[in-house]
Amino acid sequence: MSEETIFSKIIRREIPADILYQDDLVTAFRDIQPQAPTHILIIPNHLIPTANDIKASDEKALGRMMSVAAKLAEEAGIAEDGYRLIMNCNKHGGQEVYHIHMHLVGGQPLGPILTRQS
Ligand code: DGP
């Protein structure tokens, strides 16, 4: 049994968050430390700790995360100019919260996706 994170409390509305979208499968809310003018997190309502834990049975929720990202990008007015969808995994990926989440980031040019670490 994986341990819940703060994101489960956000899903259940036990702690405050700027929730933009919620349905039976996913929840989307503004990141507390935005890295760009638009920075939204889209998460499955059930706990999947990392991308390594994604199973075929999660495909419906993962697909919904993608379609909700497209809808929210459109609503934020950043669809035409473009944006970035990011999912970090584990230590090397820089994952901090162990409940998978897709970052929807945009509203300005984002530069190269990676800079090589020496
Ligand atoms: P990652 O490094 O991919 O695990 O990103 C975690 C993100 O979660 C980070 O951008 C900050 C955000 N975050 C962490 N705690 C909270 C919280 O309590 N509320 C909200 N809205 N965002 C949070």
Side-chain angles (χ1 to χ4, degrees):
M1 181 73 183
S2 302
E3 274 193 32
E4 278 192 0
T5 74
I6 195 135
F7 287 179
S8 291
K9 291 186 166 58
I10 289 175
I11 292 163
R12 293 195 296 262
R13 298 176 186 250
E14 291 170 3
I15 62 165
D18 189 356
I19 294 178
L20 302 174
Y21 179 89
Q22 188 167 45
D23 64 20
D24 57 323
L25 292 176
V26 306
T27 300
F29 51 96
R30 291 196 193 281
D31 195 291
I32 206 167
Q33 295 171 316
Q35 304 297 313
T38 297
H39 190 166
I40 298 166
L41 301 176
I42 304 152
I43 69 177
N45 290 342
H46 69 289
L47 175 57
I48 306 170
T50 79
N52 293 332
D53 302 303
I54 293 170
K55 306 278 186 289
S57 56
D58 299 318
E59 285 171 6
K60 200 170 170 198
L62 270 288
R64 186 72 58 84
M65 286 165 65
M66 295 299 298
S67 58
V68 167
K71 167 185 151 62
L72 292 176
E74 185 70 33
E75 286 177 8
I78 61 172
E80 183 74 20
D81 282 340
Y83 52 88
R84 191 166 287 156
L85 299 174
I86 305 162
M87 184 181 289
N88 296 321
C89 180
N90 274 342
K91 191 171 58 177
H92 283 192
Q95 185 174 4
E96 292 173 353
V97 180
Y98 282 78
H99 181 137
I100 62 163
H101 44 282
M102 183 181 293
H103 297 254
L104 164 57
V105 188
Q108 65 183 35
L110 297 171
I113 187 164
L114 292 174
T115 50
R116 185 163 177 87
Q117 309 292 310
S118 52

